[in-house]
PDB file of all heavy atoms in Angstrom:
ATOM      1  N   GLY S  33      -3.562  22.240 -15.804  1.00 38.00           N
ATOM      2  CA  GLY S  33      -2.307  22.535 -15.131  1.00 38.00           C
ATOM      3  C   GLY S  33      -2.229  22.026 -13.713  1.00 38.00           C
ATOM      4  O   GLY S  33      -1.279  22.331 -12.992  1.00 38.00           O
ATOM      5  N   PHE S  34      -3.218  21.226 -13.307  1.00 39.00           N
ATOM      6  CA  PHE S  34      -3.168  20.679 -11.951  1.00 39.00           C
ATOM      7  C   PHE S  34      -2.311  19.415 -11.953  1.00 39.00           C
ATOM      8  O   PHE S  34      -2.770  18.335 -11.667  1.00 39.00           O
ATOM      9  CB  PHE S  34      -4.583  20.382 -11.441  1.00 39.00           C
ATOM     10  CG  PHE S  34      -5.402  21.613 -11.254  1.00 39.00           C
ATOM     11  CD1 PHE S  34      -6.420  21.931 -12.138  1.00 39.00           C
ATOM     12  CD2 PHE S  34      -5.132  22.468 -10.196  1.00 39.00           C
ATOM     13  CE1 PHE S  34      -7.172  23.079 -11.962  1.00 39.00           C
ATOM     14  CE2 PHE S  34      -5.886  23.617 -10.026  1.00 39.00           C
ATOM     15  CZ  PHE S  34      -6.906  23.924 -10.915  1.00 39.00           C
ATOM     16  N   GLY S  35      -1.069  19.612 -12.253  1.00 36.00           N
ATOM     17  CA  GLY S  35      -0.224  18.460 -12.477  1.00 36.00           C
ATOM     18  C   GLY S  35       0.356  17.866 -11.211  1.00 36.00           C
ATOM     19  O   GLY S  35       0.630  16.682 -11.147  1.00 36.00           O
ATOM     20  N   SER S  36       0.547  18.659 -10.197  1.00 37.00           N
ATOM     21  CA  SER S  36       1.255  18.131  -9.022  1.00 37.00           C
ATOM     22  C   SER S  36       0.307  17.904  -7.867  1.00 37.00           C
ATOM     23  O   SER S  36      -0.779  18.490  -7.799  1.00 37.00           O
ATOM     24  CB  SER S  36       2.342  19.106  -8.576  1.00 37.00           C
ATOM     25  OG  SER S  36       1.751  20.194  -7.904  1.00 37.00           O
ATOM     26  N   ALA S  37       0.714  17.052  -6.963  1.00 37.00           N
ATOM     27  CA  ALA S  37      -0.100  16.765  -5.785  1.00 37.00           C
ATOM     28  C   ALA S  37      -0.376  18.036  -4.997  1.00 37.00           C
ATOM     29  O   ALA S  37      -1.455  18.231  -4.467  1.00 37.00           O
ATOM     30  CB  ALA S  37       0.601  15.741  -4.904  1.00 37.00           C
ATOM     31  N   MET S  38       0.587  18.924  -4.933  1.00 35.00           N
ATOM     32  CA  MET S  38       0.397  20.166  -4.181  1.00 35.00           C
ATOM     33  C   MET S  38      -0.717  20.997  -4.809  1.00 35.00           C
ATOM     34  O   MET S  38      -1.612  21.452  -4.133  1.00 35.00           O
ATOM     35  CB  MET S  38       1.703  21.001  -4.170  1.00 35.00           C
ATOM     36  CG  MET S  38       2.819  20.350  -3.368  1.00 35.00           C
ATOM     37  SD  MET S  38       2.331  19.960  -1.680  1.00 35.00           S
ATOM     38  CE  MET S  38       2.488  21.561  -0.916  1.00 35.00           C
ATOM     39  N   ALA S  39      -0.650  21.121  -6.124  1.00 35.00           N
ATOM     40  CA  ALA S  39      -1.656  21.944  -6.796  1.00 35.00           C
ATOM     41  C   ALA S  39      -3.040  21.324  -6.677  1.00 35.00           C
ATOM     42  O   ALA S  39      -4.032  22.015  -6.657  1.00 35.00           O
ATOM     43  CB  ALA S  39      -1.286  22.090  -8.264  1.00 35.00           C
ATOM     44  N   LEU S  40      -3.090  19.998  -6.557  1.00 38.00           N
ATOM     45  CA  LEU S  40      -4.382  19.341  -6.516  1.00 38.00           C
ATOM     46  C   LEU S  40      -5.077  19.503  -5.187  1.00 38.00           C
ATOM     47  O   LEU S  40      -6.249  19.253  -5.075  1.00 38.00           O
ATOM     48  CB  LEU S  40      -4.184  17.835  -6.778  1.00 38.00           C
ATOM     49  CG  LEU S  40      -4.042  17.514  -8.251  1.00 38.00           C
ATOM     50  CD1 LEU S  40      -3.476  16.130  -8.437  1.00 38.00           C
ATOM     51  CD2 LEU S  40      -5.381  17.640  -8.939  1.00 38.00           C
ATOM     52  N   ALA S  41      -4.346  19.886  -4.179  1.00 39.00           N
ATOM     53  CA  ALA S  41      -4.952  19.938  -2.858  1.00 39.00           C
ATOM     54  C   ALA S  41      -4.682  21.274  -2.183  1.00 39.00           C
ATOM     55  O   ALA S  41      -4.085  21.323  -1.124  1.00 39.00           O
ATOM     56  CB  ALA S  41      -4.403  18.791  -2.012  1.00 39.00           C
ATOM     57  N   PRO S  42      -5.128  22.362  -2.794  1.00 40.00           N
ATOM     58  CA  PRO S  42      -4.845  23.661  -2.171  1.00 40.00           C
ATOM     59  C   PRO S  42      -5.490  23.714  -0.784  1.00 40.00           C
ATOM     60  O   PRO S  42      -6.679  23.431  -0.650  1.00 40.00           O
ATOM     61  CB  PRO S  42      -5.477  24.659  -3.125  1.00 40.00           C
ATOM     62  CG  PRO S  42      -6.480  23.881  -3.899  1.00 40.00           C
ATOM     63  CD  PRO S  42      -5.980  22.472  -3.963  1.00 40.00           C
ATOM     64  N   GLY S  43      -4.722  24.043   0.191  1.00 45.00           N
ATOM     65  CA  GLY S  43      -5.282  24.177   1.528  1.00 45.00           C
ATOM     66  C   GLY S  43      -5.749  22.870   2.103  1.00 45.00           C
ATOM     67  O   GLY S  43      -6.460  22.837   3.088  1.00 45.00           O
ATOM     68  N   GLY S  44      -5.357  21.786   1.500  1.00 44.00           N
ATOM     69  CA  GLY S  44      -5.889  20.499   1.925  1.00 44.00           C
ATOM     70  C   GLY S  44      -5.292  19.966   3.202  1.00 44.00           C
ATOM     71  O   GLY S  44      -5.864  19.092   3.838  1.00 44.00           O
ATOM     72  N   ILE S  45      -4.137  20.462   3.561  1.00 45.00           N
ATOM     73  CA  ILE S  45      -3.498  19.933   4.763  1.00 45.00           C
ATOM     74  C   ILE S  45      -4.170  20.545   5.993  1.00 45.00           C
ATOM     75  O   ILE S  45      -4.405  21.738   6.054  1.00 45.00           O
ATOM     76  CB  ILE S  45      -1.988  20.246   4.752  1.00 45.00           C
ATOM     77  CG1 ILE S  45      -1.332  19.473   3.625  1.00 45.00           C
ATOM     78  CG2 ILE S  45      -1.353  19.886   6.082  1.00 45.00           C
ATOM     79  CD1 ILE S  45       0.120  19.805   3.408  1.00 45.00           C
ATOM     80  N   THR S  46      -4.478  19.677   6.951  1.00 46.00           N
ATOM     81  CA  THR S  46      -5.295  20.133   8.054  1.00 46.00           C
ATOM     82  C   THR S  46      -4.605  19.909   9.388  1.00 46.00           C
ATOM     83  O   THR S  46      -3.538  19.321   9.446  1.00 46.00           O
ATOM     84  CB  THR S  46      -6.615  19.354   8.093  1.00 46.00           C
ATOM     85  OG1 THR S  46      -6.302  17.978   8.219  1.00 46.00           O
ATOM     86  CG2 THR S  46      -7.427  19.591   6.848  1.00 46.00           C
ATOM     87  N   SER S  47      -5.216  20.381  10.412  1.00 44.00           N
ATOM     88  CA  SER S  47      -4.832  20.199  11.810  1.00 44.00           C
ATOM     89  C   SER S  47      -3.727  21.155  12.196  1.00 44.00           C
ATOM     90  O   SER S  47      -3.045  21.737  11.360  1.00 44.00           O
ATOM     91  CB  SER S  47      -4.394  18.764  12.131  1.00 44.00           C
ATOM     92  OG  SER S  47      -3.004  18.656  12.186  1.00 44.00           O
ATOM     93  N   ALA S  48      -3.563  21.300  13.496  1.00 41.00           N
ATOM     94  CA  ALA S  48      -2.541  22.196  14.008  1.00 41.00           C
ATOM     95  C   ALA S  48      -1.148  21.713  13.638  1.00 41.00           C
ATOM     96  O   ALA S  48      -0.177  22.451  13.735  1.00 41.00           O
ATOM     97  CB  ALA S  48      -2.665  22.328  15.514  1.00 41.00           C
ATOM     98  N   PHE S  49      -1.069  20.461  13.198  1.00 45.00           N
ATOM     99  CA  PHE S  49       0.233  19.943  12.817  1.00 45.00           C
ATOM    100  C   PHE S  49       0.676  20.460  11.455  1.00 45.00           C
ATOM    101  O   PHE S  49       1.805  20.226  11.044  1.00 45.00           O
ATOM    102  CB  PHE S  49       0.207  18.411  12.771  1.00 45.00           C
ATOM    103  CG  PHE S  49       0.076  17.776  14.111  1.00 45.00           C
ATOM    104  CD1 PHE S  49      -0.733  16.655  14.277  1.00 45.00           C
ATOM    105  CD2 PHE S  49       0.745  18.283  15.205  1.00 45.00           C
ATOM    106  CE1 PHE S  49      -0.852  16.061  15.515  1.00 45.00           C
ATOM    107  CE2 PHE S  49       0.628  17.690  16.450  1.00 45.00           C
ATOM    108  CZ  PHE S  49      -0.186  16.577  16.611  1.00 45.00           C
ATOM    109  N   ALA S  50      -0.240  21.104  10.747  1.00 47.00           N
ATOM    110  CA  ALA S  50       0.068  21.477   9.369  1.00 47.00           C
ATOM    111  C   ALA S  50       1.344  22.304   9.287  1.00 47.00           C
ATOM    112  O   ALA S  50       2.184  22.087   8.422  1.00 47.00           O
ATOM    113  CB  ALA S  50      -1.103  22.223   8.770  1.00 47.00           C
ATOM    114  N   ALA S  51       1.493  23.251  10.192  1.00 44.00           N
ATOM    115  CA  ALA S  51       2.658  24.126  10.129  1.00 44.00           C
ATOM    116  C   ALA S  51       3.941  23.318  10.336  1.00 44.00           C
ATOM    117  O   ALA S  51       4.843  23.349   9.516  1.00 44.00           O
ATOM    118  CB  ALA S  51       2.530  25.224  11.174  1.00 44.00           C
TER     119      ALA S  51
END
Side-chain angles (χ1 to χ4, degrees):
F34 294 106
S36 76
M38 292 305 280
L40 279 164
I45 293 173
T46 58
S47 101
F49 291 140

